[in-house]
Amino acid sequence: MQTLQKLSNRLFYLPPYQKTDRPILAAVVGDEQTLLIDAGNSSNHAKQFKEQLTSYHITGSILALTHWHWDHVFGLSEMDMTSIANFMTFDKVKEMQELSWEDKELDERVEAGIEIPFCADAIKLELGSKREVIIPNPTILFEKQITLKLGGVSCIIEHVGGDHSSDSNLLYIPEEKALFLGDCLYANMYAEKWHYTIEKMTKLLEKIEGYDAEIYFLSHHPAPLTKDEFASFVSLLKKSAILTKKHKGEIEEIATEMSSYFQHELTKDDLEIIGYFVNGYA
Ligand SMILES: [Zn+2]
């Protein structure tokens, strides 16, 4: 059972839970409105978050979606409040409303290469045998950017896209110097090989670097990253992109130069990142 973390009077988050792929959920508490970030991967997940907020006398009034993936939207009906999404996310939600999430249909979609085995397994585990998935329509739609004034604190939501999902938003809380990145820095998983592309990653990092933050939330990282931790993650991504181009996707050469650049043996995580760029190199 994850426990709600309080970072300030304005900022709370529920850590992710890897086993059933629950992402981080967060609350930005304003004097007039409280913004919730993401709806969770099930009614149970949403309920758990709401209950823990209640123990701090916090009730959400408006919810923003980082992107359309199941683990971020399946709790939307339980959240039962005004919701914000960009037009691309809205369209994907409409598509998902037509799907069945029973074993048979899930397995068929995995077989057809439309659904990821990893997601299908997590859905089965999270939702159990009685599966009722109702995803309501998001209510407030934007295209590029929207700003929310919550009373004493605000939130800028910007559509940034990226490899993971083209509808990804980031959410920036200037008063807290907090940046919520959703899954936008993760690989494209809806592909034969999980991958990053040099072009999309470069564009995305440029956008992210336009925000002055001290704390960074990646939806499936166990804890938020400090400025330094995020900077080293970004430098790994950037260097991987540059070296993938320079060495035309030759993994050995990329790894050798990377290791001498950072002056340490590459970790499993480093090699995974390089691998994604190599997979996406064409
Ligand atoms: Zn995702």
Side-chain angles (χ1 to χ4, degrees):
M1 172 95 148
Q2 310 307 103
T3 312
L4 191 68
Q5 305 291 309
K6 179 181 180 179
L7 292 174
S8 73
N9 288 333
R10 298 288 192 200
L11 199 53
F12 294 73
Y13 75 95
L14 187 66
Y17 178 62
Q18 209 185 357
K19 209 172 151 201
T20 60
D21 209 25
R22 287 182 170 185
I24 277 181
L25 301 180
V28 184
V29 183
D31 297 329
E32 285 133 35
Q33 305 261 314
T34 289
L35 169 72
L36 304 188
I37 300 175
D38 274 337
N41 73 349
S42 64
S43 293
N44 284 338
H45 189 202
K47 227 179 264 170
Q48 187 198 349
F49 183 47
K50 285 202 302 186
E51 279 168 11
Q52 295 205 32
L53 286 172
T54 306
S55 67
Y56 284 91
H57 309 288
I58 297 167
T59 315
S61 29
I62 188 162
L63 185 145
L65 295 172
T66 58
H67 64 302
W68 67 270
H69 290 161
W70 78 278
D71 49 320
H72 302 258
V73 304
F74 274 13
L76 195 54
S77 144
E78 174 64 35
M79 289 295 195
D80 191 24
M81 64 187 75
T82 303
S83 54
I84 304 173
N86 66 47
F87 283 94
M88 289 170 89
T89 308
F90 180 85
D91 289 345
K92 292 300 283 188
V93 165
K94 297 299 285 180
E95 281 176 32
M96 287 174 103
Q97 290 168 346
E98 305 300 315
L99 300 177
S100 157
W101 303 92
E102 296 303 318
D103 282 3
K104 183 175 167 282
E105 284 80 6
L106 268 175
D107 294 343
E108 280 170 5
R109 291 204 294 276
V110 169
E111 193 64 34
I114 305 164
E115 186 53 271
I116 311 168
F118 159 75
C119 290
D121 292 345
I123 289 169
K124 290 172 187 174
L125 202 57
E126 174 67 35
L127 301 183
S129 54
K130 264 192 175 171
R131 269 168 238 167
E132 200 186 9
V133 177
I134 299 160
I135 320 169
N137 289 334
T139 38
I140 298 175
L141 304 186
F142 71 98
E143 193 174 334
K144 288 189 176 128
Q145 190 169 311
I146 188 168
T147 300
L148 309 177
K149 298 287 186 187
L150 305 166
V153 66
S154 57
C155 178
I156 298 163
I157 310 175
E158 185 186 358
H159 171 231
V160 290
D163 286 297
H164 181 76
S165 190
S166 54
D167 69 324
S168 286
N169 301 316
L170 60 73
L171 293 92
Y172 179 59
I173 322 298
E175 295 82 358
E176 298 286 317
K177 291 206 169 184
L179 192 59
F180 288 86
L181 294 163
D183 290 355
C184 78
L185 282 174
Y186 298 137
N188 180 347
M189 296 154 75
Y190 285 88
E192 203 179 321
K193 287 179 176 176
W194 292 12
H195 68 267
Y196 287 133
T197 59
I198 296 168
E199 194 202 359
K200 281 184 185 166
M201 182 57 80
T202 308
K203 258 191 212 159
L204 178 60
L205 290 176
E206 246 168 53
K207 280 190 177 173
I208 291 172
E209 285 179 318
Y211 289 92
D212 176 26
E214 296 288 342
I215 185 163
Y216 296 80
F217 294 83
L218 283 81
S219 289
H220 297 276
H221 273 50
L225 305 184
T226 62
K227 202 178 181 72
D228 284 349
E229 287 166 342
F230 187 71
S232 59
F233 183 46
V234 167
S235 87
L236 173 66
L237 290 167
K238 277 187 175 169
K239 199 68 191 169
S240 302
I242 290 166
L243 293 181
T244 301
K245 195 171 183 184
K246 179 178 171 189
H247 295 296
K248 300 189 167 58
E250 291 298 329
I251 193 155
E252 306 266 308
E253 291 167 34
I254 300 165
T256 307
E257 186 168 342
M258 180 89 97
S259 175
S260 79
Y261 177 81
F262 286 116
Q263 299 195 329
H264 62 68
E265 291 257 318
L266 298 181
T267 64
K268 202 172 136 262
D269 289 350
D270 297 339
L271 288 166
E272 192 177 70
I273 298 277
I274 297 173
Y276 291 155
F277 277 103
V278 168
N279 287 344
Y281 185 78

